[in-house]
Amino acid sequence: MIIHTVAFKTKHPAGSPQEQAFLTAGVVLAKLPMVNNFQCYRQVGQKNEYDFGFSMEFTNQADYDAYSNHPEHVAFVENIWKQEIDVFLELDYVKHESF
């Protein structure tokens, strides 16, 4: 299993309709068939600059690759993400084989 996470800050004012529209557009990615356990998080800590996070799980590398190349994901990144995100950090995890 691969856990894909991204922490981010939008260009929109906190609580604005534009911010909410962005989050709603991102949550649509949860409907892609290879995406499991999609979550949208709001940051509550003060140790970084990010306001939100998305996380999702993929059964294997093939599903992750299919997601990365899926037309809906590509369109979201090109038409929405790149225009509306200030900063982000993407992390992908697999379970450490020793634990």
Side-chain angles (χ1 to χ4, degrees):
M1 177 178 59
I2 298 171
I3 301 172
H4 171 65
T5 64
V6 61
F8 56 90
K9 180 179 186 72
T10 73
K11 294 179 179 179
H12 307 297
S16 69
Q18 296 90 347
E19 181 183 79
Q20 185 60 44
F22 172 83
L23 296 173
T24 299
V27 170
V28 169
L29 298 174
K31 295 179 181 180
L32 296 177
M34 68 290 289
V35 173
N36 301 302
N37 197 27
F38 182 96
Q39 301 291 323
C40 178
Y41 299 102
R42 183 177 56 82
Q43 169 67 265
V44 295
Q46 301 298 314
K47 295 182 180 180
N48 64 65
E49 62 185 321
Y50 308 110
D51 293 329
F52 299 99
F54 290 153
S55 73
M56 60 196 82
E57 297 173 357
F58 299 96
T59 303
N60 53 42
Q61 187 66 49
D63 282 355
Y64 180 77
D65 293 343
Y67 167 78
S68 295
N69 296 309
H70 193 283
E72 288 183 48
H73 175 254
V74 172
F76 173 76
V77 170
E78 291 300 319
N79 301 324
I80 299 173
W81 182 271
K82 287 183 177 180
Q83 285 72 38
E84 299 193 32
I85 296 302
D86 261 346
V87 294
F88 72 96
L89 173 65
E90 184 174 325
L91 299 167
D92 297 312
Y93 300 100
V94 295
K95 189 171 183 339
H96 192 286
E97 64 276 355
S98 297
F99 299 99

